[in-house]
Amino acid sequence: SMAGCIALDREREALGDALHFARIQKEDTPEHQQKYYALFNTASSLGIVVQPEVHLVEKSYTELISAYCLPQRYYHVAEHIFERLGEIEKKRESKTMPLESLLAVEFAWWHHDYIYDPRRTDNEDKSAKKAVEILTRVQAPKEFIYKVEELIFCTKHNYPPQNSEQALLMDLDLLILGENQDKYQGYVRKLGREYARYPLESKISMR
């Protein structure tokens, strides 16, 4: 009946909301907040952005984590971001890339899956737009904003990297393909769950 369908939809919505809240509670840790805030503080110390007001960074972080914790996501979640931050830190310690370039990579990494819908092909474009909005609020120069935007575009993985920054970001995004069998199979299962609710034609482009 119509009433039964409405009740079922409401139950699913409530379950989705509960899962979303639970994920946020798990991922929104002081450590993760600190890493995100440090990104802006470092950029400010280098004169790349103005020192942002705390509430602006808090708003950006809260909205970002909320997006990564949406219940329809299984692989493209906050964990995907957090587990590669150590690789960026290793690169920073090696001093093999200018700090400003590495900051652009890290900023792009945090935001590259901001928007994610398996049915669409413009996720990276929309994610880049979100990153541009955030950087514009902290008065980043156009050159830096453009670099971050181009970095996020490259995570479409439909062309070879054009520079060392793009190569690093693309490597971070695809490191899962070189993991051990258990981790790789976990990746395949999670990706499959993200596509499970959609028609076959949507799954053909799975990556």
Side-chain angles (χ1 to χ4, degrees):
S1 68
M2 180 65 73
C5 289
I6 292 173
L8 185 59
D9 285 343
R10 285 176 177 169
E11 184 178 345
R12 286 173 177 164
E13 185 177 342
L15 286 171
D17 289 345
L19 176 59
H20 188 201
F21 179 75
R23 283 183 169 180
I24 291 173
Q25 291 293 99
K26 176 185 176 185
E27 302 294 356
D28 186 7
T29 67
E31 179 188 3
H32 295 152
Q33 290 180 24
Q34 188 176 28
K35 287 181 182 294
Y36 190 75
Y37 294 175
L39 184 61
F40 288 85
N41 289 335
T42 303
S44 175
S45 69
L46 292 174
I48 297 172
V49 303
V50 298
Q51 181 63 46
E53 296 181 31
V54 173
H55 76 90
L56 287 179
V57 181
E58 287 179 347
K59 180 176 186 293
S60 297
Y61 175 79
T62 300
E63 291 175 352
L64 178 67
I65 294 301
S66 180
Y68 278 118
C69 290
L70 287 170
Q72 64 266 32
R73 295 186 185 220
Y74 293 93
Y75 176 72
H76 295 86
V77 293
E79 182 184 1
H80 171 56
I81 303 303
F82 300 147
E83 67 182 357
R84 301 304 180 202
L85 292 177
E87 299 296 325
I88 296 176
E89 185 58 35
K90 287 179 187 176
K91 192 72 174 177
R92 182 178 293 112
E93 291 172 356
S94 73
K95 298 181 179 179
T96 55
M97 179 178 285
L99 188 52
E100 182 172 334
S101 296
L102 194 57
L103 278 170
V105 171
E106 187 172 2
F107 199 96
W109 177 249
W110 273 95
H111 300 85
H112 77 284
D113 283 329
Y114 197 128
I115 304 296
Y116 181 73
D117 182 340
R119 298 166 297 178
R120 302 189 62 88
T121 59
D122 60 353
N123 292 312
E124 292 82 5
D125 302 282
K126 289 186 173 182
S127 296
K129 185 177 179 181
K130 287 285 189 181
V132 168
E133 289 172 1
I134 293 167
L135 283 170
T136 301
R137 285 202 295 264
V138 295
Q139 300 177 39
K142 290 181 179 179
E143 297 80 8
F144 188 80
I145 294 175
Y146 177 75
K147 180 178 285 190
V148 171
E149 188 177 31
E150 288 294 303
L151 281 165
I152 294 176
F153 290 157
C154 84
T155 61
K156 295 179 182 182
H157 300 288
N158 57 4
Y159 54 84
Q162 306 299 301
N163 52 52
S164 59
E165 294 100 325
Q166 291 186 12
L168 175 57
L169 187 67
M170 293 169 80
D171 281 349
L172 291 172
D173 205 25
L174 298 178
L175 275 175
I176 186 64
L177 302 181
E179 293 281 11
N180 63 48
Q181 187 71 9
D182 287 344
K183 285 190 175 182
Y184 177 74
Q185 289 299 329
Y187 157 74
V188 171
R189 284 193 299 272
K190 289 173 182 177
L191 204 60
R193 292 186 73 182
E194 289 181 341
Y195 281 82
R197 68 181 69 189
Y198 303 119
L200 179 61
E201 56 267 24
S202 296
K203 300 175 187 178
I204 292 173
S205 63
M206 272 180 63
R207 62 171 176 83

